[in-house]
Amino acid sequence: MLKTPTIGESLRNEGISRREFIKFCATAASLMALPATMIPKIAEALSNTPRQSVIWLSFQECTGCTEALTRAHAPSLENLIFNTISLDYHHTLQAASGTAAEEAREQAMHKHPGEYLLVVDGSIPIGNPGYSTIAGISNQDMFLEVAKQAKAVIAVGTCAAFGGLPKAAPNPTGAVAVQDLLRDKPLVNVPGCPPIPVVISSIVAHYITFGGLPDLDNLKRPLPFFGQNIHDRCYRRPFYERGQFAETFDDEGAKQGWCLYKLGCKGPVTYNACALFKWNDAVSFPIEAGHGCLGCSEPNFWDAGSFYDALSIPLPGAAKAAAYAGIAGTAVGIAAGALNMYKKSTAIQQREVVTVDDLERK
Amino acid sequence: MDNYADFLLWVRGPAFHIALAIFLFGILLRFFEIFSLGRRTEYAEVRGNAFLGGMRTLFTRFLPEKTTLKRILFLVIAGYLFHLGFFITFLFFDPHIVLFKSALGFSWPGLPAPIINIVTLISLLVMIALLIYRLNHPVLRLLSGFQDYLAWTITFLPLLTGYLAFHHMIHPYPLILALHILSVELLMILFPFTKLMHTFTFIIARWTTGARAAQKGVSL
Ligand code: SF4
Ligand code: SF4
């Protein structure tokens, strides 16, 4: 039987130097807020471990997550991480198609039962199995089958983590998140639309090094990356404190780089690492580019009202509620008023007139 | 509702709509009731302008009369501080103004966050002092009923949760923000049916008192 090459071996075959490799380990350690003393441990674990088998399933998604991961600037951590795993099945990236592709998946599952990592992007429709199928297999069936033997599951992107856009009201396909179907398996959610690529690679590195997943928050997001909110890390925060806000996208405030709260920024309620790692090789991130945060790493961000409404504005429907209440209040008020007036007038009519003479007579 | 993000969406959406509906419904109902009762017929000879007298009293009552002032100086000062603080925070904190703008269509400039911060802190401390005063004053304590403590609590909570949210004192932030909004919704729901209605009715009450007296030739 052919021995699976270790990560170290395959990196050397790829012509990646020891120096670059250690640099990757150092970055991974710092990203996960691990002490520098862990770097040799990561390096050792990565170079001596056989490449981790990964099965990547894509369901109701837009391929943005995969795009984000593969379009990262080269040479990058992301490219390195592709060398540390053996991506045994990925709809979009694999060359094989049709039956051959499905065979590859079966093979990977049988070769490493209970050992492979399952990465999922996209939500799973349970409204009708026919809404999304691969090789005639419904998403739900395929997911449950592959998840059964997986060692851990990584839900990549907001669709897999929380349902995402496919779940937006009225949720026509009955889309659910991975965590709604998964029981008794370690799961980590890496939400984001798309998620930050380096987070995915760091989690894989963490998994290979320590054999487990990093600490998670209550939404099962890795704390090292989702522990802080955008607002707390935002360089526009001093403007927020001073009450200096851009009112439109092209006013003086916007040009001065003032806070985008009034233009709908959801940074205060969004936990993600954008403000820290940024995008496009750490060039910028939405708020820096002049657009408020959409809150894409939070559940239901797609149904949380307009992206351009400030956080303090209630969700749509207030005007309707007010109108109904106005009509009901007026109607009941008039009725109560009529009753009062009736009582008052009958009281006046039935009033017995008592004169001083009457009193003296008694 | 298994997480704080959904909780926040619920308080910003359905819960707010319900609270707003009850608030408006209650206020309309109370006003119809009050106005439909009408005023008692005035048989006395007309000796002055009722309207002007009412308007005058509306403003003169903002200051207590001298002897009363001496006796309850603390209550007057604390009362003013709290009311002003509450309304400054309510009306001049930028995120609140955005909300008013979306509802009313117009807006006004806000105050910098550090000022709102201090004003809120003062209001909170003054409210606590007022509660201690109420609990310790022999007469006031006997006069106070459940509704008074309820009114205090539902007014205090929005200030407290707002302060905690502003300083990110409770984690995660969406949770404390949601609690803040929820506390305001509680206030909105109970407002029309408690003494808090005095926010509006004090105008009617003062005007009526002043108008009646003025008509009889007495100026208050
Ligand atoms: S731009 Fe957004 S995240 Fe930044 S300070 Fe303003 S509200 Fe907060
Ligand atoms: S800034 Fe906000 S909306 Fe944009 S990617 Fe980051 S978390 Fe998502």
Side-chain angles (χ1 to χ4, degrees):
Chain A
M1 200 177 94
L2 230 123
K3 195 176 143 286
T4 323
T6 66
I7 296 167
E9 283 162 5
S10 56
L11 286 178
R12 269 191 297 282
N13 291 344
E14 294 279 324
I16 288 161
S17 71
R18 174 92 188 145
R19 201 187 152 85
E20 274 174 300
F21 177 62
I22 294 292
K23 215 172 122 199
F24 164 70
C25 296
T27 317
S30 84
L31 287 179
M32 288 182 290
L34 297 170
T37 47
M38 292 313 289
I39 300 171
K41 182 158 189 229
I42 298 176
E44 197 195 309
L46 288 185
S47 29
N48 298 330
T49 319
R51 292 165 75 199
Q52 172 68 44
S53 164
V54 172
I55 298 183
W56 184 307
L57 298 178
S58 301
F59 297 133
Q60 292 193 124
E61 44 81 50
C62 69
T63 315
C65 297
T66 301
E67 287 286 342
L69 193 60
T70 52
R71 296 294 165 95
H73 286 232
S76 69
L77 297 178
E78 294 68 39
N79 290 349
L80 271 164
I81 209 68
F82 273 120
N83 290 305
T84 65
I85 62 174
S86 140
L87 196 52
D88 291 328
Y89 177 87
H90 188 302
H91 298 169
T92 318
L93 301 179
Q94 69 200 356
S97 64
T99 335
E102 292 317 302
E103 265 169 23
R105 179 172 61 82
E106 301 270 336
Q107 248 179 36
M109 283 170 59
H110 295 136
K111 205 164 137 200
H112 316 279
E115 290 299 324
Y116 56 85
L117 277 179
L118 169 58
V119 178
V120 178
D121 64 340
S123 62
I124 303 157
I126 58 171
N128 176 331
Y131 283 145
S132 175
T133 61
I134 296 154
I137 307 168
S138 77
N139 287 174
Q140 186 177 1
D141 288 346
M142 185 180 282
F143 170 72
L144 291 176
E145 190 199 345
V146 181
K148 211 189 293 165
Q149 304 266 32
K151 190 151 187 194
V153 181
I154 306 178
V156 164
T158 302
C159 295
F162 304 131
L165 299 192
K167 200 185 169 193
N171 190 2
T173 63
V176 298
V178 164
Q179 57 189 350
D180 297 323
L181 293 179
L182 190 72
R183 307 266 169 264
D184 328 314
K185 285 274 179 216
L187 166 71
V188 54
N189 283 329
V190 187
C193 198
I196 298 176
V198 74
V199 177
I200 305 170
S201 34
S202 298
I203 288 168
V204 176
H206 187 284
Y207 187 82
I208 294 169
T209 312
F210 301 105
L213 299 168
D215 288 342
L216 306 177
D217 72 1
N218 70 338
L219 294 171
K220 293 201 162 63
R221 299 177 295 197
L223 268 175
F225 305 99
F226 293 88
Q228 270 175 329
N229 77 16
I230 303 281
H231 187 61
D232 279 343
R233 281 280 168 177
C234 180
Y235 74 101
R236 297 194 190 221
R237 180 69 178 270
F239 297 113
Y240 174 91
E241 301 291 339
R242 265 180 252 139
Q244 292 175 310
F245 299 96
E247 305 277 341
T248 62
F249 283 107
D250 56 359
D251 67 357
E252 217 21 62
K255 283 174 197 148
Q256 300 289 325
W258 289 357
C259 170
L260 302 165
Y261 184 92
K262 290 190 177 178
L263 292 172
C265 181
K266 305 296 184 296
V269 293
T270 306
Y271 289 77
N272 205 343
C274 300
L276 228 70
F277 299 152
K278 306 195 180 173
W279 289 85
N280 291 334
D281 218 10
V283 168
S284 181
F285 76 114
I287 291 173
E288 198 171 335
H291 193 287
C293 167
L294 305 182
C296 71
S297 56
E298 296 295 319
N300 288 325
F301 86 94
W302 52 87
D303 278 337
S306 165
F307 290 152
Y308 301 100
D309 270 353
L311 189 58
S312 58
I313 295 179
L315 304 190
K320 209 161 123 194
Y324 284 136
I327 294 167
T330 309
V332 180
I334 289 175
L339 192 70
N340 281 340
M341 284 197 262
Y342 171 73
K343 271 200 212 152
K344 195 174 163 183
S345 69
T346 41
I348 291 171
Q349 271 167 22
Q350 291 167 357
R351 183 179 56 157
E352 275 179 52
V353 182
V354 182
T355 62
V356 181
D357 297 340
D358 292 337
L359 289 175
E360 275 178 352
R361 230 175 288 140
K362 272 182 192 163
Chain B
M1 210 161 338
D2 44 7
N3 63 61
Y4 60 80
D6 285 347
F7 179 46
L8 178 64
L9 281 188
W10 181 74
V11 297
R12 287 181 64 209
F16 181 81
H17 302 150
I18 293 168
L20 179 71
I22 296 178
F23 177 74
L24 292 176
F25 173 86
I27 285 183
L28 278 170
L29 181 65
R30 292 289 304 264
F31 274 133
F32 272 107
E33 277 203 312
I34 292 169
F35 286 119
S36 68
L37 280 173
R39 286 163 61 190
R40 125 167 72 84
T41 329
E42 202 61 81
Y43 294 109
E45 193 187 325
V46 177
R47 290 208 171 92
N49 186 315
F51 177 76
L52 287 182
M55 292 308 283
R56 191 173 51 241
T57 309
L58 192 53
F59 291 99
T60 53
R61 287 278 163 101
F62 273 114
L63 273 184
E65 133 311 296
K66 277 207 190 77
T67 46
T68 331
L69 184 64
K70 231 180 256 165
R71 268 189 297 122
I72 54 161
L73 189 64
F74 166 75
L75 275 186
V76 173
I77 295 176
Y80 263 101
L81 276 178
F82 149 67
H83 277 88
L84 280 176
F86 187 91
F87 282 105
I88 288 173
T89 311
F90 179 54
L91 296 174
F92 293 101
F93 184 45
D94 279 302
H96 299 168
I97 296 177
V98 182
L99 167 65
F100 295 128
K101 189 179 179 187
S102 81
L104 306 172
F106 58 91
S107 68
W108 48 89
L111 288 171
I115 295 181
I116 300 289
N117 175 37
I118 291 183
V119 169
T120 312
L121 189 63
I122 293 174
S123 308
L124 279 170
L125 294 176
V126 168
M127 274 197 86
I128 293 171
L130 280 167
L131 181 67
I132 294 173
Y133 182 83
R134 186 187 279 279
L135 288 169
N136 283 317
H137 193 285
V139 180
L140 203 53
R141 194 178 54 217
L142 284 175
L143 284 176
S144 306
F146 170 73
Q147 234 210 72
D148 297 285
Y149 296 110
L150 180 69
W152 184 91
T153 310
I154 58 179
T155 315
F156 187 75
L157 285 179
L159 281 173
L160 179 70
T161 51
Y163 189 78
L164 294 177
F166 178 75
H167 287 282
H168 288 223
M169 279 173 170
I170 288 182
H171 285 282
Y173 176 78
L175 177 67
I176 184 65
L177 179 65
L179 288 175
H180 175 57
I181 299 173
L182 190 68
S183 71
V184 176
E185 285 159 1
L186 188 69
L187 176 70
M188 287 165 75
I189 289 172
L190 294 174
F191 181 95
F193 312 107
T194 55
K195 291 180 175 177
L196 295 174
M197 198 53 195
H198 78 268
T199 312
F200 297 123
T201 52
F202 88 94
I203 300 173
I204 312 171
R206 275 191 200 172
W207 186 86
T208 311
T209 314
R212 263 211 206 118
Q215 203 172 22
K216 291 180 180 139
V218 184
S219 87
L220 290 180

